[in-house]
Structure formats: structure tokens, C-alpha cells
Amino acid sequence: MTAKLSRPRFVMAVLASMFIWAILVTFAPLTGLGGMKVDGTGSDAFAKATREVAEDHRGNLALVLIENGNVAQSHTMSIGKPVSGDSMFQMASVSKWVTAWGVMALVEAGKVDLDAPVSRYVKRWKLPRGDYPNEQVTVRRLLSHTAGLTDDLGYCGFPPEAKLQPIEESLSRAGDACPLRTGAVRVGDVPDSWRHSGGGYTLLQLMIEEVSGEPFVNYMESAVLKRLGMENSTFRTGAAGAADIAEFFGTDGGVAPHYRYTAAAAASLYSSANDMARFAQAHMEGPNGEVPGRGVIRPGLLATMRAPEAELFGSAHWGLGVQLFAKSTRGDFIYGHNGGNVPAVSNTVRIEAATGDAIVALSTGGRGIASKLGSEWTAQRRAAITPAMIYGTALRLTSPAESLLPFLWIVGGWGIILAGSLWFRRRDLSRHPRAS
């Protein structure tokens, strides 16, 4: 006869099972359990594994792998309209990284002070009274999501036929805020604690216009994109009708709407895999001795951008415009940005600073293939798994629907564990009835 399991042991067993399940779901993308097998190291092995994974992808994909500063591999695929390395994808939150270059170019020119309140430069709109002083909202803190803004945006965009909001109106309350987001940009948290704020980058978009005296899209083209040779890149919403724009697919592989954004700085750069490879290479020394920054910003400011500005659970998490994914085995950061827009836009650009290696993965359709490729690429290079990596991988920082998937897996697994445990407990009690 088997022994009856005591109530404390039963509870401990259930809690342990739930904990193990949550760890497995969270760590899978970081440890090679995410469904991608890479036989060997280097770009050749990774590109081969990508082609195998992409066979089941219900959408399109453009991949570029860089080794030692040079393009080593590329791959494109689509279930519909063909894409190439020059096809333009909507870059979603990767736009913030490029926008940060625009801000740093103004810093380079002495027109903006990183530690000055943004209100010094913005006159067309004012932050409403918040829970903490508005003077804490500096340019540096906006770039690193540490200004205490509580909008939590998350823009879901406007349908193709809808009129875009004016930027000032969007800052007061974004008409395209994703569900469960207030859409109002205000100070509601203490400074220097990390809290994602798309609205902060919309405020930087307005600052760029006021300081430069130009429309945001014009300034970014002349100050950053053209100077880096990014000829197939623009923040203009008119790019939606461009001939070589990648088709939009949903999670099921069906053709999806193409949403547009007032918050271009936060969510709506259009760029190609080849152009984003040029952008990644601009962070490195060029083959002919070109300096990092390529004259847009000096190398020292470029290094400042990837210096830790925010921590999460005790580990470095964010710099100025860039996410710090992990420390590499060589000691420097693997950094860059993920991006995701509705319904199923997924992008990642990541650089290993110490080696000159990088990955560019742009996609629509399916369930976040680009961010998954980025996680696998990082897993091969990271020195250790950090709490910030776990958080960033679990959320993926892609579309709102995609970011919920890990949590749905965890909660669903917990439900099955609880149901199975209660059934087992009831059966156990029926075999070992209490003595009368």
C-alpha cells in the first residue's frame, strides 16, 4: 500500500511543479530549447538553421548576418509577394534606436544637453502636472525609459483609411494606444527606475522638430539616414504605398492591414535588411578605417549610448536608445533593439561589440520569428543568463499579442498542474480515508 501524501508535502509539490514550469517556459528561448537547432558556430551554421526554421514561417523574413564587420550571410523568404534585402519593412520599436541617433546628433552639435529637462526645448506642448516634478524628465532619461513616465505605450497604430492625430494631441492622449494603456504622457513614477515609455520617444520626436526647425522626417533623413547610406529607409508615412514595401501578414499567414503611426520616432521607421546592416556596421570600424559613428556622432558618444543607464533586477538593461541584452563571453555588451507592431511585425537588430558580429532579422506574420532568431543568436554569445535577459526574452518586446504568449503558456500550464494535482489529491484521499 502506498503512503498518503501529507497536505504540506502536497502543497510544496504543486508549488515546485508550477515554479519549474515557469522557469522552463521563460528559459527555453535562452537555452536553445526554443525549437531551433544550430549545428556548429558561425554565420554559416546559423543561416542554415534559419532556413530550416523559416520553412514553417507563415509570412516573410529578411535576414543578414555580419561577422567581423562584414556581411557574411543573408536569406529572404515570403509566402506571398517576394522580398529582397532591399525590401522595406516597418521597423516598429527598432525605430527608437535610430531616433536616438538623431537626438545624439543634436547633442554632438551642441544644440541639446542630455541632462537638461526636455521642457527647455519643447514649447508646442507641455507635460501635465504629475505625481513628481516635470523637471526630472530629461533627455537622457527619455532615451533610457527612466523619466518616470507612466503611459506604458504601446502604440497599435491607425488603420490605413484613418487620419493621423497631430503629435501634440497624441501626447495628451494617444488615439492609437494599445489595450490596457492610458495613452496619456505624464509623470507618475520616481525617476531613474526603468519603465517602458513609447510616449517618451514621441516627446523626443517633438523636441527634434523644435530644435532642428524641420519636420522630424526631413531632419532624420538629412542628419542620419542619408549620411549612413540608408537609401531605402524613411520615417515618412507615405512609404506605405512604396513599390518595394514588404507585404504585411497576420499570425495565421493571412494578409493583414498596414497600420500607420503619428508616433513615427517610436514605431514607424521603414527600412530594409541591407540598410539596417549598414546601420549596424556604422557602430563598428569600417573596412577602410571609417570610424564608428561615420561622422554622424563621434565614437565617444556612440560608446555612451551602450553604457548602462537602467538596471532591472540588479543587472544592466538599457542604455541610451538601446537594449542591453547580455554580457558577451568577451566582456562587452550584446546590444541593440527588438521591435513589434500589430498584427505580427517582428524585428531585431543586435550587435556584439567586442567581435563586430551582428544580426538583422525583419519579418511579418507568424509568431515573432525575428525576435526568436535574435534570442538564439544571443544565446550562443552570452556569458551568463541575467534577470534582465529573462524579462526581455519573456516579453520579447514585440507586438502586444505576442508579448502575452509566454504568460499565457505559464498560466495555462499552471491550470493543468493544478487540475491534475487536485485530481491526484482526491484519488489519494479516497484510497486513504480518514479514520472515524
Side-chain angles (χ1 to χ4, degrees):
M1 179 181 292
T2 58
K4 176 183 174 181
L5 187 65
S6 67
R7 181 177 294 179
R9 288 185 176 181
F10 170 76
V11 172
M12 288 299 296
V14 172
L15 292 176
S17 298
M18 294 172 70
F19 177 76
I20 291 170
W21 172 249
I23 290 296
L24 286 173
V25 171
T26 302
F27 273 74
L30 298 174
T31 55
L33 299 175
M36 182 174 177
K37 182 180 180 182
V38 183
D39 295 322
T41 59
S43 59
D44 291 347
F46 195 90
K48 179 182 178 182
T50 297
R51 286 191 287 270
E52 293 172 355
V53 171
E55 289 178 359
D56 298 322
H57 175 53
R58 293 175 294 178
N60 50 30
L61 170 69
L63 171 78
V64 175
L65 296 172
I66 294 171
E67 280 189 349
N68 299 317
N70 300 307
V71 173
Q73 287 284 342
S74 61
H75 175 67
T76 60
M77 60 79 58
S78 177
I79 61 172
K81 175 184 172 182
V83 296
S84 71
D86 291 324
S87 297
M88 297 169 66
F89 287 75
Q90 195 178 64
M91 295 304 301
S93 280
V94 179
S95 308
K96 296 180 177 71
W97 188 6
V98 181
T99 296
W101 269 59
V103 173
M104 298 305 276
L106 292 174
V107 173
E108 181 80 58
K111 296 180 178 181
V112 167
D113 181 347
L114 280 174
D115 295 308
V118 72
S119 58
R120 177 185 297 180
Y121 309 106
V122 175
K123 306 303 178 186
R124 286 163 44 190
W125 183 83
K126 289 187 177 181
L127 275 164
R129 185 182 297 275
D131 298 335
Y132 297 89
N134 287 342
E135 288 71 24
Q136 75 179 37
V137 183
T138 64
V139 177
R140 182 187 299 274
R141 286 171 173 160
L142 288 173
L143 286 169
S144 58
H145 299 283
T146 58
L149 301 183
T150 54
D151 56 276
D152 297 324
L153 290 165
Y155 296 96
C156 280
F158 294 97
E161 68 279 0
K163 184 179 179 180
L164 296 181
Q165 268 185 307
I167 188 170
E168 296 89 347
E169 185 180 311
S170 177
L171 285 164
S172 295
R173 186 166 297 276
D176 59 341
C178 290
L180 306 180
R181 310 296 200 269
T182 67
V185 178
R186 64 183 296 274
V187 179
D189 209 346
V190 294
D192 295 326
S193 58
W194 186 86
R195 183 166 178 172
H196 182 266
S197 170
Y201 272 76
T202 306
L203 188 51
L204 288 171
Q205 178 178 334
L206 183 56
M207 183 199 77
I208 286 173
E209 290 195 347
E210 296 211 47
V211 173
S212 69
E214 301 179 63
F216 172 75
V217 296
N218 291 2
Y219 168 80
M220 290 301 298
E221 285 181 3
S222 62
V224 179
L225 301 178
K226 300 300 184 186
R227 294 177 67 183
L228 296 181
M230 298 172 67
E231 298 294 334
N232 291 321
S233 301
T234 183
F235 282 91
R236 298 180 184 277
T237 56
D244 200 21
I245 193 163
E247 198 168 10
F248 283 68
F249 295 98
T251 55
D252 61 355
V255 176
H258 180 163
Y259 291 92
R260 300 177 304 127
Y261 297 82
T262 295
S268 197
L269 170 69
Y270 293 85
S271 190
S272 67
N274 288 342
D275 269 7
M276 290 312 298
R278 294 183 184 96
F279 179 71
Q281 288 171 314
H283 292 76
M284 315 166 189
E285 185 176 339
N288 299 313
E290 300 92 340
V291 297
R294 300 298 191 268
V296 177
I297 53 179
R298 66 181 184 271
L301 271 183
L302 202 58
T304 297
M305 292 180 71
R306 69 172 187 267
E309 290 284 341
E311 289 189 347
L312 195 64
F313 309 124
S315 61
H317 182 49
W318 221 272
L320 299 179
V322 296
Q323 184 177 355
L324 308 176
F325 290 101
K327 274 288 187 77
S328 75
T329 55
R330 297 173 183 261
D332 207 334
F333 285 106
I334 297 168
Y335 66 98
H337 219 295
N338 281 357
N341 284 346
V342 292
V345 174
S346 174
N347 307 307
T348 196
V349 181
R350 306 187 185 195
I351 299 169
E352 184 179 4
T355 62
D357 294 352
I359 180 173
V360 175
L362 316 180
S363 70
T364 73
R367 296 195 177 276
I369 186 172
S371 58
K372 292 173 185 175
L373 290 172
S375 293
E376 295 284 353
W377 186 86
T378 301
Q380 292 185 342
R381 290 163 169 78
R382 51 112 174 112
I385 295 174
T386 66
M389 277 183 68
I390 296 170
Y391 178 85
T393 302
L395 289 184
R396 294 200 183 280
L397 297 177
T398 58
S399 69
E402 181 71 16
S403 69
L404 288 174
L405 283 176
F407 300 105
L408 294 177
W409 273 101
I410 290 172
V411 173
W414 283 353
I416 294 171
I417 290 170
L418 285 172
S421 299
L422 291 173
W423 176 85
F424 176 83
R425 180 67 173 170
R426 182 174 296 178
R427 189 187 68 167
D428 191 44
L429 289 175
S430 67
R431 290 183 178 181
H432 304 87
R434 293 181 178 178
S436 57

